[in-house]
Amino acid sequence: MNKNIILTLLALVAMAGQAQVKCHIEGKFVDNKWGDEVVICKRGTDLRVNDAPEWHQKAVNGHFECDIETDVPEMYEVIPYKQYVETSSYYYGWFIVENGTVRIEIFGDKAPKIESTGDEGRLHQAMDSVAGVRFCNEMERIDRELEEHKEKYFKPEFLSLMQIAKNLDRDSLPKAYVDSVEHVMDYYYDNERESYTDEGWQLFQRANSLSRLSYPFRAEYYEQHPMLWAYYHVLQSIEMLRYANVYQNFDATPHEQMVALYESKLCNLYKGHPVHGQITTALTALRFQPGKPYIDYDIRNTDGQLVPISSLIHGKVALIDLWASWCGPCRRHSKAMIPVYEKYKDKGFTVVAIARERKREDMENAARKDGYPWTSLLELNDENGVWRKNGAGNAGGAMYLIDRDGTILSTSTDAEELEPIIKKALNID
């Protein structure tokens, strides 16, 4: 029997409850640059809003270990905690929790090295050995080069801004100053080329070129060697496609190929695995666009009761404002909507704001500081999966303008773009 079919059958047996997944994790810090603690959690977990003590593993003499039991094989990630806390970027590693042992080595200047004795892990390691020679080794070298020689590859004004932003205390500094810093940060995010020196930009473009080449290679490999890893790669492609209209010169083709592979072939394998539901939800949100119906989902109202979002917006032109106290751009977009809201709130327009937080007081303090005239609802610790259902992933937020009949009118976050659409929907000349 084909090995891939055998693996699929084994996975189905586990998912049917006839066997429980038991995975042993063994790890070590190769150097002590990033302390002695890692976080091991499900892929996609955002530690800014969702954390648990049992995910944290302390190393003794540089070594750590733990056991994870799940109902089905799933993707997890390991994060050096000190690096996550102290830097704007960090090296993380993915692995499948499955029957077997996963061995992890944590480095200070590159992604963790992960080896698994499980069937899925060995399949992926075989693919990675080929991809490494063709693409990944060079991409990792470029990443290290950019990180270790920032002064050479990034413009000094950008590095200075990043240092200021890293230490930006939004609550104690003057609002005008905070806004000005965040405005310049937005400029650099929208114009990546301006961050780099000429030499740095060439390196960055080289890495991008290798990344683009790696996608069709992986898609072809997954088609010939189906594995659970492929489904999480599809999720990653869907997340990337959210930015197709945001970043300049974004190449959507390789990510669209991964989605097409899933819809044509992979959707028929690993039936019953929860990753299929995650992909379906992500694809639905990805295809949010004007003219399409908005989705329904539960959110806690101000009384703490779970209610469908449709009950809060029915019959009104409504702006769904997903935001967070820790997201500067979200708060700027929200504040810009205040005069628009005041102008049309008595004419059938409303704002339903939902804050993604770890603590209620963070939302309350930010809302009070920014002066929002509307009430914010709370998505605490991602309890209802609101961001995932809206395709926002681990982003700070998003906006959806919804017509009275539930149709999406706009996904813009720009108040100047939204106001004329609101006026038209309200039949105001």
Side-chain angles (χ1 to χ4, degrees):
M1 183 180 290
N2 181 282
K3 181 179 180 181
N4 294 319
I5 296 176
I6 294 174
L7 292 176
T8 301
L9 290 174
L10 289 173
L12 289 173
V13 168
M15 286 183 281
Q18 298 176 31
Q20 188 179 45
V21 175
K22 297 180 180 180
C23 185
H24 180 66
I25 313 294
E26 298 176 354
K28 67 177 181 179
F29 285 82
V30 177
D31 56 51
N32 61 0
K33 181 176 182 179
W34 295 119
D36 60 355
E37 183 178 353
V38 296
V39 175
I40 299 177
C41 55
K42 287 187 179 182
R43 175 205 176 273
T45 301
D46 191 336
L47 298 179
R48 293 171 297 186
V49 295
N50 196 7
D51 199 354
E54 59 267 26
W55 300 346
H56 293 250
Q57 307 298 329
K58 294 283 287 186
V60 178
N61 296 323
H63 292 262
F64 58 89
E65 64 179 313
C66 64
D67 294 300
I68 299 177
E69 295 187 10
T70 64
D71 292 330
V72 296
E74 289 185 88
M75 180 74 75
Y76 274 61
E77 57 187 319
V78 57
I79 303 168
Y81 189 61
K82 183 179 179 182
Q83 188 182 36
Y84 166 80
V85 171
E86 296 185 4
T87 68
S88 57
S89 60
Y90 56 92
Y91 295 108
Y92 61 90
W94 288 359
F95 60 93
I96 296 289
V97 164
E98 58 181 324
N99 290 319
T101 298
V102 173
R103 297 183 176 89
I104 304 171
E105 293 183 354
I106 303 293
F107 301 90
D109 59 353
K110 61 181 179 179
K113 178 182 177 182
I114 300 177
E115 294 181 350
S116 172
T117 65
D119 292 324
E120 287 285 343
R122 291 200 297 267
L123 276 173
H124 185 258
Q125 285 154 201
M127 180 183 73
D128 259 3
S129 65
V130 181
V133 172
R134 295 190 187 182
F135 318 105
C136 299
N137 294 342
E138 176 65 3
M139 289 166 61
E140 290 179 3
R141 185 197 68 77
I142 292 173
D143 283 345
R144 288 197 301 273
E145 181 77 5
L146 290 171
E147 179 67 24
E148 292 171 2
H149 302 284
K150 292 180 180 178
E151 293 76 12
K152 178 179 180 181
Y153 297 123
F154 292 92
K155 293 180 179 178
E157 56 269 29
F158 173 74
L159 293 176
S160 176
L161 177 69
M162 290 300 100
Q163 187 61 39
I164 292 171
K166 179 181 177 181
N167 301 313
L168 193 63
D169 188 341
R170 292 178 174 84
D171 293 325
S172 63
L173 292 170
K175 174 180 176 298
Y177 175 77
V178 173
D179 286 349
S180 66
V181 171
E182 292 181 337
H183 178 73
V184 179
M185 288 173 61
D186 283 348
Y187 169 78
Y188 280 112
Y189 288 137
D190 293 339
N191 300 274
E192 282 186 311
R193 174 65 182 91
E194 297 303 314
S195 305
Y196 294 89
T197 62
D198 289 343
E199 195 172 355
W201 183 246
Q202 290 177 5
L203 267 182
F204 178 75
Q205 291 290 78
R206 168 66 176 158
N208 269 357
S209 174
L210 290 168
S211 179
R212 286 193 295 270
L213 290 171
S214 73
Y215 272 85
F217 160 77
R218 291 182 185 276
E220 182 179 346
Y221 197 99
Y222 285 141
E223 184 172 5
Q224 297 173 1
H225 309 85
M227 64 184 83
L228 193 54
W229 268 88
Y231 298 85
Y232 293 97
H233 203 149
V234 171
L235 277 171
Q236 185 182 37
S237 281
I238 296 171
E239 291 165 6
M240 292 299 299
L241 285 171
R242 289 185 57 249
Y243 301 102
N245 297 321
V246 177
Y247 292 119
Q248 297 177 358
N249 304 316
F250 181 87
D251 184 6
T253 302
H255 305 292
E256 291 170 344
Q257 289 173 343
M258 285 299 299
V259 173
L261 173 62
Y262 173 78
E263 294 180 325
S264 64
K265 300 255 176 103
L266 298 180
C267 62
N268 297 314
L269 299 175
Y270 290 89
K271 291 185 181 295
H273 194 285
V275 73
H276 289 290
Q278 296 172 34
I279 292 173
T280 298
T281 298
L283 283 173
T284 298
L286 176 66
R287 289 159 182 168
F288 282 178
Q289 55 185 300
K292 298 292 185 181
Y294 189 58
I295 60 172
D296 205 3
Y297 50 88
D298 287 342
I299 185 68
R300 292 199 182 277
N301 63 15
T302 53
D303 295 326
Q305 303 299 313
L306 282 175
V307 297
I309 192 73
S310 58
S311 68
L312 304 177
I313 65 176
H314 181 69
K316 292 189 176 183
V317 176
L319 182 71
I320 308 295
D321 180 15
L322 307 182
W323 70 287
S325 63
W326 41 267
C327 177
C330 304
R331 291 172 66 173
R332 287 198 302 281
H333 295 146
S334 299
K335 285 185 283 188
M337 283 301 302
I338 292 175
V340 179
Y341 171 78
E342 296 289 4
K343 193 182 299 185
Y344 303 109
K345 66 180 181 180
D346 297 324
K347 297 179 172 64
F349 174 63
T350 191
V351 171
V352 177
I354 306 172
R356 184 178 188 231
E357 305 289 350
R358 190 188 294 184
K359 297 184 294 184
R360 174 178 290 277
E361 51 264 37
D362 291 342
M363 175 194 76
E364 294 173 342
N365 292 338
R368 183 166 51 251
K369 180 179 177 64
D370 293 347
Y372 302 143
W374 50 76
T375 300
S376 253
L377 305 180
L378 182 63
E379 171 72 345
L380 195 63
N381 299 321
D382 285 335
E383 65 166 335
N384 299 303
V386 170
W387 260 243
R388 176 176 54 81
K389 292 169 184 175
N390 278 274
N394 284 340
M399 284 183 175
Y400 300 99
L401 182 63
I402 313 300
D403 207 349
R404 291 184 176 94
D405 64 357
T407 301
I408 299 172
L409 294 172
S410 175
T411 59
S412 174
T413 58
D414 188 295
E416 291 186 4
E417 291 181 13
L418 289 169
E419 183 171 4
I421 304 173
I422 292 168
K423 286 179 64 176
K424 183 177 179 181
L426 295 172
N427 296 315
I428 298 174
D429 295 330

